[in-house]
Amino acid sequence: MLPNQPQQQPCTPPTTDELRRSFLYHLHHTLVKDKYSATKPDLYMALAYAVRDLLAERWLDTQQAYYRNDAKRVYYLSMEFLMGRTLNNALINLGLREEWDTVLKELGLDIAELQEMEWDAGLGNGGLGRLAACFLDSLATMQLPAYGYGIRYEYGMFYQKIADGAQVEVPDNWLRYPNPWEFDRQEHLHPVKFGGRVVEFTDRDGTVRHSWVDCDEVMALAYDFPIPGYRNDTVNTMRLWSAKSSRDFDLRFFNEGNYIGSVESKMKTENISKVLYPADHMAEGKQLRLRQEYFLASATVQDIFYRFAKKHDDLSQLPDKVAIQLNDTHPVLAIPELMRILVDEKRLNWEDAWRITTQTFAYTNHTILQEALETWPVPMLQRLLPRHLQLIFEINARFMTEVAARFPDDAARLQRMSLIDEFGEKRVRMAHLAIVASHSVNGVSALHSDILKTDLFKDFYELWPERFNNKTNGITQRRWLKHCNPWLSDLISEAIGDGWTRNLDELRKLTPLAEDSAFRTRWMEIKRRNKQRLAEHIYKRNCIQVSPDSMFDCQTKRIHEYKRQLLNIMQVIAQYNRLKEYPGLGLPPRTVLFSGKAAPSYASAKLIIKLINGVANVVNNDPATNQQLKVAFLANYSVSLAELIFPAADLSEQISTAGTEASGTGNMKYALNGALTIGTLDGANIEIMEEVGRDNIFIFGLDAAGAAKVRSEGYRPQDYYYRLPQLKQVLDQISSGMFSPADQGLFHPLVDQLLNSDYYLLLADFDAYLDAQAEVDRLYMNPEQWARKSILNTAGMGKFSSDRTIAEYADDIWGIEPQQITRQGVYHW
């Protein structure tokens, strides 16, 4: 919790009669439907509009309070916001979930059925976007003046289907129906320029100036979404930009009869906000991605200036009123955009503009993998953003002078630290630009931040050690326990009070209850109810019957080689082999669940999905083993699906190669809901182990130093293949076509890669992973001890609230304070 945070009590809530009248008003007057003509989507919309009304005055009051108090605000820039569904989250944060349930029951309606009508807002692909969503919830709950800025993609992350075991991508048209939670702001329309050329001239004072002219122009239209705090009157704003053509179509083409040509330019312009993550294995996709990143950066920086200018005309005060947090490298073009406006438009000298810029920006790094550290080809930047490239070159020249003065006669260091990668095609290193222009650079777990300082950005740390810090990620307990697991939430609140919803450290009070047999029984009864609910979903979607009495072993995350879903399915095959060889083997029944999306152009990841489904087909249809072992791949992983899986999980698979996962937040969500973790010493797993206790987590495999040592000493994966009979059998089965009878060579690329390279050390960790899984089996056979450790995992999650993370950002980086919101209006019904 932040020091001196105001403990505001929200105003008197509406009565159930007022709620009912509001619902019926919107049904009859907004939607023009009655009980005879209304469909379920209509009823959902009427409910959403009625709930939105409860947010509206709070929203207006919040924004007025920020202006009235002249509060410093943080602007959180992210290419992804994985918000999920809004309705139930809003009801919980308003404290009106039970009241609305009562009202709708009196009308013969089921609130749960209406909630299912809402489409997930899937404007992200996993941890980065979901972290941003959790942060927005915490910022509003802690009454901190904040805005989230992103792109209103017309099509979110693709909708994943599984056909013949393979991933098929179809458009995620989440805006097919009206979205009651967004408000278009026609008055907030900013021009964003591309292309053109730069004109250099000398002004009356003799100063050399630059003008960016002859550009193509795209308009950025703002759409605002309310972000309510938990049981207070704060409602912050998430503003997403939609690309609009500067004109509807070219009338000249239209008059000449070229109707397609007349709208072609408009369509091409508006493609910028059409889809999240265009395929970037082609030049056109890369260029569109760059356009998206600058579109977000430019519109947002212009909007920040617009808001700042309402009360201030002294630009030197900008860092006192504005903090900009860059969520990874995607929004880093905001740095040269701010410099362009300050130098070219506001006519500041370079030194003043640079001081303002570096005091305003802060950068969060989210990856250790070189492949994920963005770089952009210099020729592409020259074509699309010629003035920004000039500014980047100037920043780099001044930076290189500073480095050379600090570390003379060290040409290699200059090459490593330069903003321009000179090897091969010249490319701009966006992470380097972010570090140079930010006053704070943070990692997202203790291990990750240490790797940044000692390895990835070691040179920069030696230059500016004071800039580097750690902010371990967190999750919002309001969504990831209270919302998604109401049965467990109610039990916890009954036992220790509901203070944990605001201060997750309160969960420590559960520790003595782990020794209470009756409490353990109730805890596991709730776990089984959640498993039954998920089992019904699996049967409905996958036609696979799974037992809620089996261990639910879950790995749900983006499909990537470093996350090692392949290692998991290899141990499943090994377990299947043991069950076949020893039919009476006393292992607990296990249901292994996978879910996650592979990038459309990521062939290896898509092949792993195909293998998982191939193994599932063999295992689930073998009568000799299918009472002991089941496998299912749950298609189209989303926030809503995650909300079903986390409460039902017994075992959480967090098995990335040590030193590759920056943090992870799925590990936190699973543990918060009472799952035990099997994992490596990677990312936030280490800190989870420290909080829950080494005896209450299953740790295996190489640590980060060990992994680096194995590679440096000349790793030979084939040595493990020949030394470990179980491993050899598994790889031979995959290679032989046992799990792909229609195409026996289908999985050869996976096996070949493991035997000849295995960069992520699956074979090196395989044996230790099997040993850890055997330890899991032994513990699960002792239900009382398993229940005890499950409770202790939840009890140890206090550190991992996004409230704690945001408090650290606010205090250490942004310098912002909570704002008391005074209600100016009253409810009108």
Side-chain angles (χ1 to χ4, degrees):
M1 300 287 285
L2 281 170
N4 304 318
Q5 183 179 350
Q7 298 300 305
Q8 179 176 330
Q9 296 300 317
C11 62
T12 303
T15 66
T16 54
D17 187 54
E18 289 171 328
L19 296 178
R20 180 171 55 253
R21 288 207 304 271
S22 179
F23 173 79
L24 294 175
Y25 174 86
H26 282 293
L27 184 65
H28 297 154
H29 296 88
T30 306
L31 299 169
V32 195
K33 293 292 185 77
D34 57 23
K35 66 178 180 180
Y36 303 106
S37 58
T39 62
K40 280 186 181 177
D42 292 328
L43 297 168
Y44 157 72
M45 290 292 289
L47 175 58
Y49 284 133
V51 173
R52 194 180 76 173
D53 286 349
L54 299 172
L55 299 176
E57 288 183 356
R58 292 171 169 85
W59 201 1
L60 293 170
D61 291 340
T62 299
Q63 301 312 308
Q64 288 304 311
Y66 293 166
Y67 280 110
R68 191 167 53 249
N69 299 342
D70 194 19
K72 182 177 183 179
R73 312 174 202 201
V74 63
Y75 298 93
Y76 194 84
L77 275 63
S78 180
M79 285 291 283
E80 299 184 30
F81 284 97
L82 193 55
M83 302 302 293
R85 292 170 174 164
T86 297
L87 176 58
N88 200 48
N89 189 68
L91 292 174
I92 287 173
N93 281 10
L94 285 167
L96 294 172
R97 177 63 168 76
E98 291 75 17
E99 289 82 353
W100 272 111
D101 194 20
T102 299
V103 166
L104 294 171
K105 280 180 180 176
E106 290 172 353
L107 295 171
L109 301 174
D110 183 349
I111 193 171
E113 288 185 5
L114 299 190
Q115 288 169 344
E116 288 300 312
M117 297 299 102
E118 183 177 358
W119 198 271
D120 268 54
L123 306 183
N125 177 33
L128 186 79
R130 187 52 234 173
L131 179 76
C134 285
F135 278 6
L136 293 188
D137 179 87
S138 287
L139 284 160
T141 295
M142 303 175 77
Q143 300 189 278
L144 291 166
Y147 297 78
Y149 275 96
I151 294 178
R152 180 183 177 265
Y153 304 102
E154 186 176 336
Y155 296 92
M157 192 63 186
F158 62 84
Y159 189 96
Q160 180 194 56
K161 292 185 176 181
I162 300 297
D164 193 27
Q167 171 177 292
V168 177
E169 303 97 20
V170 298
D172 175 25
N173 190 5
W174 73 288
L175 291 174
R176 179 185 292 113
Y177 304 109
N179 180 7
W181 305 107
E182 69 177 11
F183 297 80
D184 66 306
R185 305 299 194 189
Q186 299 287 339
E187 71 276 18
H188 292 289
L189 194 66
H190 298 295
V192 178
K193 299 177 180 180
F194 294 97
R197 59 193 177 89
V198 180
V199 175
E200 184 177 297
F201 64 96
T202 303
D203 66 12
R204 293 177 179 177
D205 299 327
T207 304
V208 175
R209 301 289 183 186
H210 298 83
S211 181
W212 186 17
V213 299
D214 299 336
C215 307
D216 297 325
E217 198 170 86
V218 181
M219 305 307 292
L221 175 63
Y223 284 79
D224 286 354
F225 295 72
I227 308 294
Y230 179 70
R231 299 206 174 188
N232 60 31
D233 289 326
T234 296
V235 178
N236 280 338
T237 302
M238 177 176 69
R239 176 163 287 181
L240 303 183
W241 298 108
S242 180
K244 303 295 180 184
S245 175
S246 57
R247 60 186 67 183
D248 281 341
F249 54 82
D250 192 315
L251 191 61
R252 176 175 55 85
F253 286 140
F254 188 86
N255 291 335
E256 292 173 356
N258 183 1
Y259 306 119
I260 293 177
S262 69
V263 298
E264 190 176 53
S265 175
K266 171 181 167 64
M267 293 172 61
K268 186 175 181 180
T269 294
E270 297 182 357
N271 276 344
I272 288 177
S273 58
K274 188 69 71 176
V275 64
L276 170 68
Y277 288 139
D280 61 1
H281 59 291
M282 298 178 294
E284 294 84 355
K286 286 186 173 70
Q287 183 166 291
L288 178 55
R289 179 68 173 167
L290 180 58
R291 286 178 180 271
Q292 287 182 333
E293 294 187 0
Y294 178 65
F295 175 75
L296 167 62
S298 177
T300 301
V301 171
Q302 291 181 67
D303 210 48
I304 290 170
F305 269 110
Y306 167 82
R307 192 173 291 112
F308 175 80
K310 283 188 174 184
K311 298 203 73 167
H312 303 278
D313 53 17
D314 181 358
L315 290 171
S316 68
Q317 294 180 344
L318 190 74
D320 299 327
K321 298 300 175 184
V322 171
I324 301 177
Q325 188 69 39
L326 303 171
N327 192 28
D328 219 349
T329 55
H330 312 127
V332 165
L333 285 168
I335 291 167
E337 176 68 356
L338 180 60
M339 285 294 293
R340 182 188 69 81
I341 292 174
L342 292 174
V343 172
D344 294 354
E345 296 183 7
K346 306 299 182 182
R347 301 296 179 95
L348 268 63
N349 64 53
W350 182 276
E351 289 73 21
D352 288 343
W354 186 244
R355 179 188 57 78
I356 291 169
T357 298
T358 56
Q359 290 178 4
T360 300
F361 280 101
Y363 162 56
T364 300
N365 173 275
H366 284 280
T367 185
I368 297 164
L369 303 180
Q370 286 290 342
E371 67 191 58
L373 291 172
E374 279 193 314
T375 61
W376 288 108
V378 165
M380 186 181 291
L381 282 166
Q382 179 65 49
R383 287 194 306 274
L384 290 181
L385 302 169
R387 179 57 180 146
H388 297 75
L389 184 62
Q390 287 183 347
L391 291 164
I392 291 169
F393 283 156
E394 180 65 20
I395 292 168
N396 191 50
R398 291 168 181 255
F399 173 57
M400 289 289 93
T401 299
E402 181 179 353
V403 174
R406 179 77 179 273
F407 302 99
D409 304 319
D410 194 344
R413 183 183 293 267
L414 291 173
Q415 284 185 334
R416 294 194 304 267
M417 297 183 74
S418 173
L419 307 190
I420 311 301
D421 184 351
E422 303 277 357
F423 298 97
E425 181 186 35
K426 288 186 179 181
R427 304 179 72 89
V428 176
R429 297 160 164 160
M430 303 307 286
H432 290 199
L433 175 58
I435 295 169
V436 170
S438 297
H439 65 89
S440 169
V441 178
N442 72 278
V444 291
S445 73
L447 174 64
H448 173 228
S449 296
D450 187 57
I451 291 173
L452 296 186
K453 292 187 288 188
T454 60
D455 183 8
L456 193 64
F457 301 136
K458 181 174 182 288
D459 292 322
F460 292 92
Y461 178 68
E462 290 175 350
L463 179 63
W464 296 311
E466 71 283 356
R467 293 192 184 186
F468 286 78
N469 60 94
N470 177 58
K471 298 290 175 281
T472 296
N473 282 343
I475 58 175
T476 169
Q477 63 266 34
R478 272 82 58 181
R479 182 177 284 269
W480 294 113
L481 183 53
K482 187 171 179 63
H483 164 84
C484 77
N485 199 344
W487 298 321
L488 188 61
S489 170
D490 289 347
L491 176 63
I492 291 171
S493 294
E494 176 191 323
I496 65 171
D498 66 357
W500 60 270
T501 58
R502 289 181 178 274
N503 180 5
L504 201 59
D505 287 327
E506 291 282 303
L507 290 182
R508 281 291 181 195
K509 294 178 181 177
L510 290 173
T511 301
L513 293 172
E515 311 306 325
D516 184 327
S517 177
F519 187 79
R520 290 198 301 267
T521 298
R522 294 180 66 190
W523 186 275
M524 296 311 292
E525 285 172 350
I526 289 169
K527 177 66 73 174
R528 194 185 188 284
R529 287 177 70 186
N530 284 318
K531 291 166 73 172
Q532 180 62 47
R533 183 179 61 162
L534 179 57
E536 291 168 0
H537 175 87
I538 293 169
Y539 184 71
K540 179 180 178 182
R541 297 298 175 89
N542 291 59
C543 296
I544 299 172
Q545 193 94 43
V546 303
S547 170
D549 295 316
S550 65
M551 180 202 308
F552 278 21
D553 174 355
C554 304
Q555 188 175 19
T556 56
K557 53 186 72 217
R558 179 167 55 94
I559 309 297
H560 196 290
E561 288 166 283
Y562 87 84
K563 294 179 183 288
R564 302 204 295 189
Q565 286 92 349
L566 182 54
L567 177 62
N568 190 348
I569 200 64
M570 285 165 57
Q571 78 85 20
V572 170
I573 298 169
Q575 181 137 321
Y576 172 71
N577 291 335
R578 288 198 300 277
L579 290 171
K580 292 285 284 184
E581 186 174 359
Y582 305 105
L585 195 63
L587 297 177
R590 189 185 288 229
T591 298
V592 184
L593 302 175
F594 295 86
S595 194
K597 297 178 181 179
S601 58
Y602 193 171
S604 293
K606 296 175 82 168
L607 204 55
I608 290 168
I609 293 175
K610 180 75 171 174
L611 175 60
I612 291 168
N613 285 299
V615 173
N617 190 51
V618 171
V619 170
N620 297 345
N621 291 294
D622 189 335
T625 61
N626 64 13
Q627 297 304 303
Q628 289 291 104
L629 183 63
K630 290 281 181 69
V631 180
F633 187 94
L634 307 184
N636 200 48
Y637 190 50
S638 63
V639 174
S640 295
L641 181 54
E643 290 166 358
L644 276 176
I645 295 172
F646 290 136
D650 292 304
L651 186 66
S652 163
E653 298 271 354
Q654 307 298 330
I655 58 175
S656 54
T657 309
T660 60
E661 186 74 82
S663 170
T665 54
N667 46 9
M668 303 170 190
K669 294 161 193 166
Y670 276 114
L672 182 63
N673 283 275
L676 274 64
T677 300
I678 182 170
T680 52
L681 289 171
D682 196 28
N685 291 353
I686 298 170
E687 290 160 83
I688 290 174
M689 178 187 70
E690 292 168 352
E691 295 298 314
V692 306
R694 181 64 178 82
D695 293 339
N696 300 311
I697 189 172
F698 303 97
I699 295 295
F700 74 93
L702 297 164
D703 61 13
K709 185 171 185 288
V710 166
R711 292 192 187 104
S712 68
E713 291 179 349
Y715 176 50
R716 292 166 49 90
Q718 291 190 27
D719 291 349
Y720 294 86
Y721 171 79
Y722 288 112
R723 190 168 73 240
L724 302 174
Q726 288 188 85
L727 173 61
K728 184 176 187 302
Q729 181 184 12
V730 167
L731 293 181
D732 289 348
Q733 288 170 318
I734 296 172
S735 187
S736 71
M738 177 177 174
F739 306 109
S740 55
D743 183 357
Q744 295 192 349
L746 179 63
F747 299 125
H748 283 176
L750 293 179
V751 175
D752 290 346
Q753 188 277 332
L754 288 176
L755 292 177
N756 296 307
S757 173
D758 190 22
Y759 180 79
Y760 295 111
L761 306 176
L762 280 70
L763 274 56
D765 276 348
F766 181 78
D767 209 31
Y769 184 41
L770 293 192
D771 289 344
Q773 291 286 4
E775 189 181 345
V776 169
D777 285 333
R778 285 191 292 273
L779 182 65
Y780 198 76
M781 297 290 280
N782 186 336
E784 289 295 316
Q785 281 303 306
W786 186 278
R788 177 179 174 276
K789 291 177 183 290
S790 173
I791 295 167
L792 291 175
N793 267 265
T794 299
M797 283 297 106
K799 175 180 178 177
F800 302 102
S801 171
S802 50
D803 296 350
R804 185 268 315 153
T805 313
I806 287 298
E808 293 178 0
Y809 274 102
D811 287 347
D812 302 342
I813 298 176
W814 302 330
I816 59 174
E817 297 288 341
Q819 300 296 307
Q820 182 80 31
I821 307 302
T822 303
R823 294 300 309 279
Q824 301 296 309
V826 296
Y827 292 109
H828 299 289
W829 297 95

